[in-house]
Amino acid sequence: MSVESLVQQLKGGLDAPICLTWELTYACNLQCVHCLSSSGQRDPRELTTAEAKAVLDELHDLQVFYINVGGGEPMVRRDFFELLEYSIGKGIGVKFSTNGAFIDAEKAQRLAAMDYLDIQISLDGTDAITNDAVRGPGSYALARRAMDNLATANFGPFKISVVVTRHNVDQLDEFKALADSYGAQLRITRLRPSGRGADSWHDLHPTNAQQRQIYNWLMAHGDNVLTGDSFFHLNALGDPLPGLNMCGAGRVVCLIDPIGDVYACPFVIHDEFKAGSVRDDGGFSKVWKQSPLFVELREPQSAGACTSCGSYDACQGGCMAAKFFTGLPLDGPDPECVSGHGEALLQGVNIGLNPKPAMDHSKPVPVALGAARRLSVVS
Amino acid sequence: MSATGMSDASVLDSGLADSGLPGAGLLGVALELNPQVALRPEPFGALAYHYGNRRLVFLKHLDMVTVAKNLSLHPTLAATLQACDIAPSRWPSFATAFQSLLSSEIVRER
């Protein structure tokens, strides 16, 4: 059987997701400008510990092998270790993404003692200036301290997770060297215009020339670097990159958000891609198997405006989320189409008319003291 | 044949390849499913996940799943194929598929 026939099989969907992302909380100590979930403040409707455990019971019954936990910053949740231990105890491995702020020496020891656990530390620059411009002041130092603590605790090969932007694309070799210095594994993923990324995407996303740079770099190093298969739109440049050349949304992946809503993928937190809630009758399982949205995503998709392009088989029209949040039609080219078809279309999108994320948990912008005083006088 | 898969699990596609490929020597070997591997039934066969090396493998035929589950009950791979009523003409392709499962540590020698 070829990889192509496997992909055909996967496009029709599976009985349960291969890989499920679960954002545990919208609370976060950071406020990254490209945050895919617009995180910052906790949502009062977040799943309780008991509800979260019930979801894990269900995932166990569905034989979901592992979950990708994120946020917000998942370690902010007081029951973080309780849920981690419960999941692993149920045979559901956990890979969690963190900014590292809460991985002190003691927590690193505790994490190192656990099996079936992978940790991904986010870092968006190999120096504080590049990283902190995106992830906030002090975030580079926090991430490096977490890496040092994990290394000291002999956690083993953790992952360093990088969102590739216009400003760090020249650092790919340095990221690789940094990962190697820790015995860690490098993971690079594509920037999406999701969440707060909708506002920062135009300034941060790699230029067309840089897209080729990423492609060439992955062709040279791809076997040792994880990508979550997020760069398949680059396959139009030549030989395919390693991985499954397809969008997994609603087919083999999905997202459970902090309040239990189920979306097609982590990058489409918007009503249009909401399939249901784990709080609905029938729980997650019914949403996965029967929601009209997911059933539709498993049908053969139309190539639309890309039908006449010779590269469609290679790039599959790119990423649904990238198109949606930049205001492009879903059955047309990706905004970062390497042939430039998306760029041309973007010129025609009226600024401000592209869809906005469903929810915004960003922290309020601090009001200057004088302004606050004036407001209180008015009220 | 192999790929770095969705969200980073290393995905291997273990289907039944054409016969005549390497692996025929495996027929006389005693195999078993690795105890760190879980099988999840799917319409096309099963997903196998190795908790140790985090590999995800697709067993793309229901017969592959039956044989994999029964490996430890019989002295050799050939004996398992016989017990599972697999036609001898298909044995070479099974041997090739199990060779790939052996190299990804989904099954192991015992």
Side-chain angles (χ1 to χ4, degrees), chain A residues 190 192 218 227-237 240-248 311 313-320 334, chain B residues 6:
Chain A
R190 184 178 173 194
R192 304 321 201 289
L218 281 171
T227 63
D229 289 356
S230 60
F231 291 105
F232 64 86
H233 69 297
L234 300 180
N235 286 343
L237 288 170
L241 297 166
L244 296 172
N245 176 26
M246 62 174 270
C247 166
S311 296
D313 283 346
C315 78
Q316 301 279 303
C319 170
M320 190 172 75
D334 187 287
Chain B
M6 275 297 157

Side-chain angles (χ1 to χ4, degrees), chain B residues 33-109:
Chain B
L33 207 53
N34 192 309
Q36 280 191 281
V37 168
L39 291 181
R40 179 173 108 189
E42 290 290 343
F44 55 82
L47 280 179
Y49 183 66
H50 190 302
Y51 280 95
N53 63 25
R54 317 287 206 261
R55 276 199 169 121
L56 188 66
V57 177
F58 292 78
L59 304 184
K60 291 196 57 182
H61 202 291
L62 293 169
D63 287 341
M64 274 292 289
V65 183
T66 311
V67 173
K69 281 181 176 167
N70 283 284
L71 285 171
S72 63
L73 303 176
H74 304 282
T76 61
L77 174 57
T80 316
L81 292 169
Q82 185 141 37
C84 294
D85 285 330
I86 306 297
S89 61
R90 297 172 68 204
W91 288 14
S93 58
F94 275 83
T96 307
F98 276 100
Q99 187 67 54
S100 130
L101 293 181
L102 185 64
S103 53
S104 54
E105 299 172 59
I106 297 295
V107 302
R108 64 180 190 185
E109 291 191 35

Side-chain angles (χ1 to χ4, degrees), chain A residues 100-132:
Chain A
F102 301 99
I103 302 184
D104 56 20
E106 183 224 320
K107 297 258 176 40
Q109 293 282 355
R110 191 167 174 189
L111 293 165
M114 298 171 82
D115 281 334
Y116 308 142
L117 178 67
D118 292 301
I119 301 179
Q120 231 163 245
I121 312 262
S122 301
L123 193 74
D124 291 337
T126 52
D127 58 81
I129 292 171
T130 310
N131 178 82
D132 293 4

Side-chain angles (χ1 to χ4, degrees), chain A residues 235-303:
Chain A
N235 286 343
L237 288 170
D239 289 333
L241 297 166
L244 296 172
N245 176 26
M246 62 174 270
C247 166
R251 297 158 160 174
V252 298
V253 309
C254 72
L255 167 77
I256 302 177
D257 92 336
I259 61 175
D261 287 339
V262 181
Y263 294 90
C265 96
F267 301 100
V268 285
I269 302 183
H270 188 281
D271 283 350
E272 202 150 319
F273 298 98
K274 184 156 83 179
S277 166
V278 301
R279 285 171 166 151
D280 296 344
D281 286 342
F284 172 78
S285 179
K286 188 171 174 196
V287 175
W288 177 262
K289 288 173 182 161
Q290 296 180 20
S291 79
L293 173 70
F294 285 180
V295 170
E296 189 191 326
L297 287 172
R298 293 163 195 168
E299 299 289 324
Q301 303 291 304
S302 153

Side-chain angles (χ1 to χ4, degrees), chain B residues 1-16:
Chain B
M1 192 73 185
S2 82
T4 315
M6 275 297 157
S7 201
D8 306 336
S10 166
V11 172
L12 296 169
D13 180 13
S14 179
L16 293 171

Side-chain angles (χ1 to χ4, degrees), chain A residues 302-339:
Chain A
S302 153
C306 298
T307 310
S308 58
C309 177
S311 296
Y312 181 76
D313 283 346
C315 78
Q316 301 279 303
C319 170
M320 190 172 75
K323 293 187 251 199
F324 183 74
F325 285 118
T326 50
L328 298 185
L330 296 186
D331 61 347
D334 187 287
E336 292 179 308
C337 164
V338 295
S339 304

